[in-house]
Amino acid sequence: MELRAVKGMNDILPDEIGRWQRLEAIFRRTVELYGYREVRTPIVEPTQLFVRSIGEATDVVEKEMYSFQRHDNELTLRPEGTAGAARAYLEHKIHAREPVSRWYYLGPMFRGERPAKGRYRQFYQAGAELYGEAGPLCDAEMIDMLARFLQQLGIEQVEVLVNSLGGPATRLRYRQALLDFFTPRSAQLSEDSQRRLEKNPLRILDSKSPHDQALCAEAPSILDVLDDEDRAHFDGLLAHLDALKTPYRVDPRLVRGLDYYTRTLFELRGTGGELGAQNALGGGGRYDRMIGELHGPETPCIGFALGLERLLLAMAPAPETSPGWVYVAPLGAEAQREALRLASELRSAGIEARVDGRGQKLNRMLPRASNSGARFCVIVGEGELARGVVALKDLQAHAQEEPPRAQLVQRLREILGGEATR
Ligand code: AMP
C-alpha cells in the first residue's frame, strides 16, 4: 500500500513556508500592538469541552469532530481554539488575577468536513480572545483590528458583515418567531433544514441551499426583536465602527455555525474570485455565557478566528526578499576543515552559509554552486589556503575577486550593503 497524507490534510513544504511565516509574523505584530499575548493550549481536549461549549446541535459537534478513546478518556482533536482557551482561562483562574485578558493563538484545527479548495480537515487558524470586557467599544476595536490586519496583508477585496444575536431572552423570542415563520413552510425546506427546524431553527439561516436561502430572505429579522439593552449594544457597536471609519455591512441573517455566540457577531468575506465558494476568511463574536456554562464566573468574552489557508489564497504572491546565502566549496581535506570554520564565522556574522561536503573537484562543485540558488560561492583550495585568501564569486553579478581570508565577512557586508546582517 502506498502511504499518503490523510485526505484533506496538507503538507506545507519548505518552498511554501516563507508566505506562511510572513503571514504569521504580521498577525503577531498586529495583535500584539493591541496588547494580545500568545497562549498555546493542547491540540487534544476532553470531548465534553467541545460538546458543552460549541453546542450539540451544530455541524461541528454532530458530525465533524475527530474523537477517540484513550486510557478511558473520551478525547477530541480541537476543531477550533475558543473552547480550549476558555478552559485554560478557567483552569488557571486567570479571572482572579486580572480583570481583562487578551490572548491570541495560532495553530492547526481539525474538522471532518468534505475537502474542497479552501476547506480542509486539518487547517490553520489565527485567533484571539478578549476576556472581561462587555463591549461594545472592544467589539468595534476587534473588528477594526481585523480589517487593518487584512489591509496589511494586501487583501483589499473584503466585506465586513456584522449582526447581533442578542442575549438569551432575545434568542428565545427570535427562535419562536422563526418557528412561527418556518413551520407552515416546512415542506419547502431542504431535508437538513427540516431537521434544524426541530433542533435549532437559527441554523436554517446558515443553509447553503439556494431554495432555503430564498425563503430565509423573507424570514423575520433578529434586529426587529432585540430588547432595549441588546439594541443599545448593537447601536454602540455601529457608532464605534463609524468613528473608526471601518467599512461594514449589517447582515441580519448572519448566524455562523457555532452555538455559543451572544450579541455581536461578525464575518470577513473575501470578494475577490480566488476563494471560490469558501469565501469566509474569518469571523467571530461575543460569547458572554460560555465561561459561566463551563462553571466559571460569568465573564463577558469576545473572539475571532481566521483561516490561514484562505488568507494565503486571497493574498497576492510577494517576492522573496532574502539577501542571499553563501555556498562554501572546499577543495581537499585541509580546505574542508577551513571551510567549516569559515562557514561558522559567516553564520556568526548573520550570513547564511552551507558547506559542500560532497566532492573535491572544482569542475563538479562549480555547477552545483551555480544551480543551488546561492548568491555567492566561496572557493577554498590549496592555493588559496597557502596565500591566505579565498576566491569569492558573486553568482548574481558574475564577478570574481580574491579577498584576504580575514576580510571575507567585511567584504560580503560591503557587497550586500548591510542587508545580510539585518
Ligand atoms: P469558524 O471557527 O468556523 O468560525 O471559522 C473561522 C475561519 O476558519 C473560517 O472563516 C475559515 O477561514 C476557517 N475555516 C473553518 N473551517 C475550515 C476548514 N475546514 N478548512 C479551512 N479553513 C477553515
Side-chain angles (χ1 to χ4, degrees):
M1 190 184 84
E2 195 185 349
L3 289 174
R4 304 182 67 94
V6 176
K7 188 174 171 201
M9 304 198 181
N10 302 308
D11 298 312
I12 304 164
L13 298 176
D15 59 0
E16 305 161 64
I17 207 74
R19 303 184 70 215
W20 285 80
Q21 289 173 337
R22 186 172 151 256
L23 168 61
E24 289 166 5
I26 297 175
F27 178 75
R28 288 175 194 280
R29 203 163 56 229
T30 306
V31 299
E32 285 177 4
L33 281 175
Y34 287 77
Y36 287 82
R37 294 294 176 261
E38 183 172 0
V39 61
R40 296 190 192 183
T41 60
I43 283 173
V44 176
E45 294 277 358
T47 301
Q48 272 308 305
L49 173 66
F50 301 116
V51 175
R52 291 219 324 248
S53 60
I54 300 175
E56 244 164 308
T58 55
D59 284 354
V60 170
V61 170
E62 264 185 355
K63 50 191 185 199
E64 295 171 0
M65 294 206 298
Y66 283 93
S67 299
F68 57 99
Q69 200 181 32
R70 182 58 39 98
H71 310 128
D72 285 338
N73 295 317
E74 296 293 336
L75 305 174
T76 292
L77 298 184
R78 64 182 185 192
E80 50 95 68
T82 299
R87 186 216 26 84
Y89 178 84
L90 260 179
E91 189 168 329
H92 300 280
K93 300 195 171 51
I94 306 295
H95 49 85
R97 275 196 243 162
E98 53 189 34
V100 176
S101 308
R102 293 179 172 86
W103 287 7
Y104 78 86
Y105 60 85
L106 280 160
M109 308 294 162
F110 303 83
R111 295 183 196 172
E113 296 189 80
R114 196 166 46 75
K117 183 179 173 197
R119 188 171 60 211
Y120 311 102
R121 290 181 172 168
Q122 172 173 333
F123 58 97
Y124 286 79
Q125 283 188 339
E129 316 290 348
L130 169 54
Y131 305 95
E133 283 212 16
L137 182 146
C138 61
D139 306 21
E141 204 172 33
M142 181 175 271
I143 294 170
D144 186 61
M145 174 172 84
L146 280 173
R148 283 170 197 275
F149 170 59
L150 294 188
Q151 245 173 25
Q152 296 252 318
L153 296 179
I155 303 177
E156 302 285 347
Q157 293 171 293
V158 190
E159 190 173 39
V160 179
L161 305 176
V162 296
N163 191 21
S164 174
L165 288 184
T170 295
R171 279 281 266 284
L172 273 180
R173 263 201 316 281
Y174 189 51
R175 187 189 148 87
Q176 193 54 51
L178 288 179
L179 281 175
D180 294 345
F181 176 81
F182 283 118
T183 306
R185 297 169 177 82
S186 70
Q188 298 171 48
L189 286 170
S190 67
E191 219 171 282
D192 262 355
S193 288
Q194 287 183 10
R195 222 167 27 81
R196 291 178 181 134
L197 186 58
E198 281 165 30
K199 285 191 161 176
N200 191 352
L202 231 76
R203 294 290 325 285
I204 297 177
L205 302 180
D206 233 5
S207 169
K208 297 278 179 293
S209 138
H211 201 78
D212 288 355
Q213 280 180 0
L215 212 56
C216 290
E218 293 165 29
S221 159
I222 191 158
L223 298 179
D224 294 335
V225 297
L226 292 183
D227 64 27
D228 290 348
E229 278 182 48
D230 292 338
R231 163 59 61 190
H233 191 278
F234 191 55
D235 288 344
L237 167 70
L238 302 188
H240 290 313
L241 285 174
D242 289 336
L244 284 163
K245 297 197 165 54
T246 316
Y248 63 86
R249 179 161 73 79
V250 174
D251 178 359
R253 292 192 172 72
L254 179 69
V255 286
R256 298 184 48 74
L258 315 174
D259 250 7
Y260 48 57
Y261 292 119
T262 47
R263 292 194 167 163
T264 305
L265 193 67
F266 52 91
E267 186 161 287
L268 292 107
R269 266 183 216 161
T271 52
E274 58 292 280
L275 289 163
Q278 313 307 324
N279 64 351
L281 293 169
R286 186 158 275 295
Y287 52 98
D288 294 342
R289 290 162 55 77
M290 188 192 288
I291 301 280
E293 278 167 10
L294 296 174
H295 306 305
E298 290 294 326
T299 309
C301 316
I302 183 164
F304 68 83
L306 295 152
L308 299 195
E309 288 84 353
R310 292 187 197 175
L311 291 177
L312 287 168
L313 282 170
M315 271 164 76
E320 285 288 328
T321 51
S322 146
W325 55 277
V326 179
Y327 194 105
V328 184
L331 305 169
E334 201 191 331
Q336 279 192 336
R337 288 187 285 279
E338 180 62 10
L340 286 173
R341 285 191 291 267
L342 203 116
S344 248
E345 272 172 44
L346 291 173
R347 292 175 197 126
S348 299
I351 300 170
E352 181 180 337
R354 306 181 205 169
V355 182
D356 184 331
R358 283 190 292 170
Q360 320 254 331
K361 291 214 175 64
L362 189 61
N363 61 356
R364 303 284 284 278
M365 230 181 276
L366 273 185
R368 283 211 293 269
S370 309
N371 294 330
S372 68
R375 165 78 196 274
F376 300 99
C377 176
V378 169
I379 301 160
V380 191
E382 308 286 333
E384 283 87 1
L385 273 180
R387 281 182 288 130
V389 297
V390 292
L392 170 63
K393 274 176 171 294
D394 186 333
L395 297 169
Q396 195 173 299
H398 302 290
Q400 178 157 351
E401 57 188 283
E402 236 182 37
R405 157 82 178 76
Q407 282 167 27
L408 176 64
V409 167
Q410 193 194 335
R411 183 64 196 121
L412 283 170
R413 279 188 173 151
E414 277 166 18
I415 300 176
L416 292 169
E419 271 170 66
T421 52
R422 237 180 261 150

